[in-house]
Amino acid sequence: MKSKSTIFACLICLMAILGTNKASAQLAKGYYYVHVALDTHYCLDLHKAIVQDGRNIQLYRSNGTQAQHWYFQPNSDGTYFIRSAMNTDYVLDVKKGIVQNGSNIQLYHFNGTKAQRWFLEPAGNGYFYIQSALNPEYVIDLEKGSIVNGQNIILWRNKGGKNQKWKINR
């Protein structure tokens, strides 16, 4: 017969394996490009490569510049900070922390709030939904699903479309 302490230890291990918080896909820390599933020739891009609070995040044809390179920093709660390679003191951020369809995704100086934390949820075939820690039902979305340089990146309730799925690769 097993002792109570052994059973308790097994229960703790099982809880750790199953998780009690929102689980996030594991992605090693490091620099990545984030391509949209609608057309993987296009990726997340910092508008005009200018690092400042409130700078817009857009879709742009892949060109390998630092404006399209993002550092994924995993956190102990299963979220990630997605930092600009141009200046890692700046991260992807939900404007004003407002969770609603159409909220803008911007670059903002790191402050560690939930508006700057993201879960990575597998979407199949190597793609991810990038979910807001403010409310994981909302994900990073290509506005109107329009593949054109400069198209805005927003927050939108997850509908499972290719405009909400992202390939994260080096």
Side-chain angles (χ1 to χ4, degrees):
M1 180 178 210
K2 293 188 177 187
S3 70
K4 287 182 182 178
S5 62
T6 303
I7 293 170
F8 182 74
C10 289
L11 181 59
I12 295 298
C13 289
L14 181 62
M15 287 173 58
I17 290 168
L18 295 176
T20 55
N21 295 331
K22 170 81 175 117
S24 184
Q26 293 300 311
L27 183 73
K29 69 180 174 182
Y31 289 94
Y32 295 88
Y33 295 96
V34 183
H35 294 89
V36 68
L38 283 170
D39 185 338
T40 57
H41 294 101
Y42 288 81
C43 61
L44 293 183
D45 178 275
L46 174 59
H47 184 251
K48 294 191 177 182
I50 297 172
V51 176
Q52 69 184 52
D53 285 343
R55 200 68 183 170
N56 200 46
I57 303 302
Q58 64 183 3
L59 189 75
Y60 208 86
R61 188 161 184 85
S62 297
N63 57 32
T65 63
Q66 290 291 83
Q68 298 178 346
H69 218 187
W70 304 95
Y71 185 81
F72 281 71
Q73 176 192 334
N75 300 303
S76 61
D77 64 355
T79 62
Y80 290 82
F81 294 119
I82 305 174
R83 298 177 178 274
S84 171
M86 296 192 66
N87 182 335
T88 56
D89 288 339
Y90 289 81
V91 298
L92 293 187
D93 177 278
V94 177
K95 188 174 184 175
K96 297 184 181 179
I98 298 172
V99 178
Q100 65 185 20
N101 287 340
S103 288
N104 201 49
I105 303 302
Q106 64 181 0
L107 192 71
Y108 205 82
H109 197 267
F110 176 76
N111 59 34
T113 63
K114 281 189 172 184
Q116 299 180 342
R117 292 177 181 263
W118 305 94
F119 290 105
L120 301 179
E121 182 67 29
N125 297 319
Y127 289 91
F128 293 94
Y129 297 111
I130 304 174
Q131 302 171 316
S132 173
L134 292 164
N135 182 339
E137 292 179 21
Y138 287 80
V139 298
I140 290 181
D141 178 287
L142 171 61
E143 189 171 27
K144 300 178 184 175
S146 184
I147 301 292
V148 295
N149 284 337
Q151 187 63 26
N152 199 33
I153 302 299
I154 58 174
L155 196 67
W156 201 271
R157 186 176 293 276
N158 190 347
K159 300 292 184 191
K162 285 187 174 184
N163 60 313
Q164 297 179 328
K165 294 179 183 180
W166 303 91
K167 179 79 75 174
I168 302 170
N169 52 6
R170 296 185 191 262

